């Protein structure tokens, strides 16, 4: 059945085929949630059963031209993301000494960015940010930090722009995964890791690799991309967002962990506490993607107020 839902206070109009959503299916599967405090409102977000291309979400085997682009992306990514490469990129981009810019100005730059790794959407990324933030805002009206986290979680994709160095897509987007230990088979298009140079290092091909069990994800080297970059930008610019927000920003593309349960042996207690928010966020990050347009001018004042609350006026960024 097709339903038209109008939400004028959020600047959003949706026309989609819907199916009911049970939050427990995603939130409780890892045992990280306190249902009484984290459940959304009764009339909250419902998950569409198909993406913008008429296919299942995150279906990497569907036959389409879009899927060919996505698979080629992951082939190149899996070959080039190595432990040494990521260490170099984190050191270089962690300097944040090239440019100063506000959060909102950075959001507007994403009008020119399309993510080649995403099988569910080919719209400019600013549309995705606002769709995610507005859906969360409706269901969790009192968690303003989560609204802002949704708005900024993909801002690191500015690394694709020529003004930020024009890094290749494989160095910016796509699912993230640990380096320095074995590549779990749950990672999408796992077969292409056979050409990754780290496969030749026996230390990197054990369950723990260079890490200790329970060391905490902050000790783990993740594949380089927009997630880690925006985490560095937020942290080094002194954001007052809670640790759960930084966890969401840094690991929202780590699907092998929060969808497949891989690498949990590396987590510590703080990671497990923050994971409940990542699982909540992931529902909106994944399933709010659509061809729906947000009225940017209507919602802009609200997000400006959150930016002022949690960030300095100008942030330091690093570009190539």
């Amino acid at each position: 059945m097709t339903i038209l839902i109008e939400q004028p206070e959020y600047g959003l109009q949706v026309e989609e085929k819907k199916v009911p959503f049970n939050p427990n299916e995603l939130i409780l599967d890892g045992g990280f949630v306190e249902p009484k405090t984290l459940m959304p409102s009764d009339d909250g977000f419902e998950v569409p059963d198909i993406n913008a291309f008429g296919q299942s979400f995150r279906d990497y085997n569907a036959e389409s031209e879009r899927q060919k682009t996505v698979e080629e992306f992951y082939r190149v990514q899996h070959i080039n993301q190595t432990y040494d490469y990521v260490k170099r990129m984190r050191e270089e981009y962690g300097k944040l000494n090239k440019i100063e810019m506000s959060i909102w100005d950075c959001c507007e730059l994403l009008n020119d960015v399309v993510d080649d790794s995403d099988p569910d959407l080919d719209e400019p990324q600013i549309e995705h940010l606002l769709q995610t933030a507005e859906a969360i805002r409706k269901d969790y009206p009192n968690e303003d930090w989560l609204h802002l986290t949704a708005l900024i979680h993909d801002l690191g994709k500015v690394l694709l722009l020529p003004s930020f160095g024009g890094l290749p897509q494989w160095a910016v987007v796509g699912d993230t995964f640990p380096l320095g230990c074995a590549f779990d088979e749950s990672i999408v298009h796992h077969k292409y890791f056979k050409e990754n140079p780290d496969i030749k290092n026996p230390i990197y091909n054990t369950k723990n690799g260079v890490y200790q069990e329970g060391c905490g994800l902050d000790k783990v080297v993740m594949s380089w991309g927009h997630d880690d970059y925006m985490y560095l930008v937020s942290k080094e610019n002194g954001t007052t967002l809670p640790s759960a927000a930084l966890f969401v920003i840094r690991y929202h593309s780590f699907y092998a962990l929060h969808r497949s349960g891989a690498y949990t042996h590396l987590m510590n207690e703080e990671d497990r506490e923050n994971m409940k928010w990542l699982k909540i966020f992931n529902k909106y990050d994944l399933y709010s993607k659509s061809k729906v347009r947000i009225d940017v001018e209507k919602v802009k004042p609200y997000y400006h107020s959150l930016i002022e609350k949690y960030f300095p006026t100008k942030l330091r960024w690093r570009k190539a």
Side-chain angles (χ1 to χ4, degrees):
M1 178 172 63
T2 300
I3 303 171
L4 182 65
I5 303 171
E6 293 192 14
Q7 302 164 356
E9 68 272 32
Y10 300 106
L12 176 64
Q13 188 179 71
V14 182
E15 185 175 359
E16 287 187 14
K17 186 177 180 182
K18 302 278 186 175
V19 294
F21 174 76
N22 177 3
N24 295 300
E25 291 177 357
L26 284 181
I27 298 172
L28 296 179
D29 62 358
F32 299 114
V33 74
E34 300 169 8
K36 291 182 180 179
T37 60
L38 298 181
M39 288 301 177
S41 57
D42 291 339
D43 60 347
F45 178 70
E46 293 182 322
V47 176
D49 57 356
I50 57 174
N51 64 18
F53 301 101
Q55 299 165 346
S56 300
F57 285 88
R58 285 183 61 84
D59 183 352
Y60 291 93
N61 297 313
E63 291 294 331
S64 70
E65 288 303 314
R66 181 67 179 167
Q67 290 295 347
K68 293 176 183 177
T69 298
V70 172
E71 181 166 355
E72 176 59 17
F73 161 84
Y74 276 109
R75 186 188 70 82
V76 177
Q77 185 211 45
H78 289 356
I79 292 171
N80 286 285
Q81 289 274 1
T82 66
Y83 185 84
D84 289 341
Y85 168 77
V86 173
K87 297 282 279 189
R88 291 196 304 271
M89 295 298 280
R90 290 197 96 245
E91 180 178 359
E92 181 64 23
Y93 278 82
K95 297 173 183 176
L96 304 178
N97 60 356
K98 292 292 186 178
I99 191 173
E100 289 191 353
M101 183 183 300
S102 72
I103 289 283
W104 191 263
D105 286 343
C106 191
C107 286
E108 292 184 335
L109 290 178
L110 291 188
N111 275 316
D112 299 323
V113 171
V114 173
D115 183 344
D116 281 351
S117 73
D118 192 340
D120 299 320
L121 192 68
D122 59 356
E123 297 294 326
Q125 286 297 295
I126 192 170
E127 296 289 339
H128 168 53
L129 298 184
L130 289 169
Q131 288 167 355
T132 307
E134 287 295 279
I136 291 177
R137 181 183 172 193
K138 181 177 183 297
D139 284 1
Y140 295 88
N142 298 322
E143 307 293 346
D144 67 354
W145 65 270
L146 193 57
H147 312 164
L148 182 58
T149 300
L151 181 73
I152 69 173
H153 76 281
D154 276 347
L155 284 192
K157 291 180 181 180
V158 293
L159 293 175
L160 293 168
L161 299 173
S163 59
F164 274 75
L167 292 182
Q169 291 256 346
W170 63 262
V172 181
V173 300
D175 287 12
T176 58
F177 44 85
L179 283 306
C181 60
F183 298 117
D184 190 83
E185 291 187 0
S186 65
I187 301 171
V188 64
H189 291 305
H190 176 273
K191 61 187 177 183
Y192 293 119
F193 283 121
K194 64 185 179 182
E195 299 180 59
N196 186 299
D198 285 358
I199 288 291
K200 299 177 182 179
N201 187 328
I203 298 176
Y204 294 167
N205 287 278
T206 61
K207 180 179 179 180
N208 289 337
V210 299
Y211 310 111
Q212 297 292 321
E213 187 165 336
C215 64
L217 294 181
D218 63 324
K219 301 293 195 300
V220 176
V221 175
M222 298 293 296
S223 54
W224 174 253
H226 71 279
D227 315 64
D228 211 16
Y229 177 62
M230 193 60 206
Y231 164 78
L232 290 172
V233 169
S234 299
K235 182 181 177 182
E236 297 304 319
N237 279 282
T239 183
T240 56
L241 285 169
S243 64
L246 295 178
F247 189 89
V248 168
I249 292 168
R250 194 175 193 183
Y251 301 114
H252 69 270
S253 301
F254 191 3
Y255 279 88
L257 173 72
H258 58 76
R259 291 297 292 269
S260 302
Y263 301 106
T264 55
H265 62 286
L266 299 176
M267 298 171 68
N268 60 23
E269 286 302 316
E270 183 177 7
D271 295 331
R272 283 186 277 272
E273 178 66 20
N274 287 332
M275 177 66 85
K276 63 190 179 186
W277 287 108
L278 179 54
K279 284 180 172 286
I280 289 172
F281 172 83
N282 177 251
K283 180 187 78 170
Y284 299 89
D285 184 26
L286 178 57
Y287 295 112
S288 65
K289 296 173 183 177
S290 71
K291 298 291 187 177
V292 173
R293 289 291 187 270
I294 303 295
D295 186 338
V296 178
E297 293 306 312
K298 182 175 288 188
V299 301
K300 184 189 291 187
Y302 175 69
Y303 290 104
H304 268 298
S305 71
L306 298 188
I307 293 168
E308 292 175 2
K309 179 178 179 179
Y310 290 106
F311 280 97
T313 303
K314 297 282 187 179
L315 277 66
R316 294 176 292 113
W317 305 77
R318 170 69 182 183
K319 59 181 183 178

